[in-house]
Amino acid sequence: MTPAVPIAAARRLEARQVFQWLSYLQYPALLVAALHAMQPLLHDGQGLLDAYNSALLYAGVGVGLSSLQDPTKTQNTMSRKVWQDPRKGALMLGVLGVQALLPIVLGLVGAALADTTALSQLSLGCVAFGLGMIGLLKTAMEMREHHRLDRRVVADDSTVLETDA
């Protein structure tokens, strides 16, 4: 009979892998967001607010899906260098915090003050984008804590791309 602890650990790893694979859905969502953002450019500006609302919604979903990635691995060497350095990591968390908070605040204020339905919907799209950014901020915080060189005991300097190779 096998002990329950290794089975539980194996299930955890499988669940982490499932979430890692689900995080790749961010790319189609961000592609759809880009297509919506380009749509008014191709149609002489018609439907600008509706298209940008859709772009913000899909971008928020895409960014939110990116937060499902494994925070114990970095995507590339530059990302690893940022999260290993305590100052660069803190700066990046500050930038991400502003990028999360600003759309939410602007969206809520815009929704309260909007005169038209289109502006109200665009404001709610900003809120959705900001909420997606909060998910990314949470993952970034976990990545920073995991990769900081000044607090790390075991060094594993491989990126996701290097590990898969």
Side-chain angles (χ1 to χ4, degrees), residues 79-85 89 92 140 143-144 147-148:
S79 175
R80 181 179 63 221
K81 288 180 181 180
V82 167
W83 297 124
Q84 286 178 343
D85 186 337
M92 183 60 72
M143 289 179 83
R144 179 176 183 243
H147 294 286
R148 282 179 67 167

Side-chain angles (χ1 to χ4, degrees), residues 43-102:
H43 295 98
D44 296 328
Q46 294 177 357
L48 179 79
L49 295 178
D50 287 335
Y52 283 176
N53 175 48
S54 295
L56 284 168
L57 286 172
Y58 280 104
V61 169
V63 170
L65 285 169
S66 72
S67 69
L68 296 176
Q69 69 188 10
D70 185 2
T72 63
K73 299 192 182 330
T74 57
Q75 296 298 315
N76 52 48
T77 304
M78 186 173 82
S79 175
R80 181 179 63 221
K81 288 180 181 180
V82 167
W83 297 124
Q84 286 178 343
D85 186 337
R87 290 180 301 158
K88 290 178 187 174
L91 177 65
M92 183 60 72
L93 289 179
V95 169
L96 288 172
V98 169
Q99 287 180 330
L101 186 61
L102 192 63

Side-chain angles (χ1 to χ4, degrees), residues 94-105 126-127 129-137:
V95 169
L96 288 172
V98 169
Q99 287 180 330
L101 186 61
L102 192 63
I104 292 173
V105 170
C126 282
V127 171
F129 179 74
L131 291 174
M133 288 298 296
I134 286 177
L136 181 64
L137 177 62

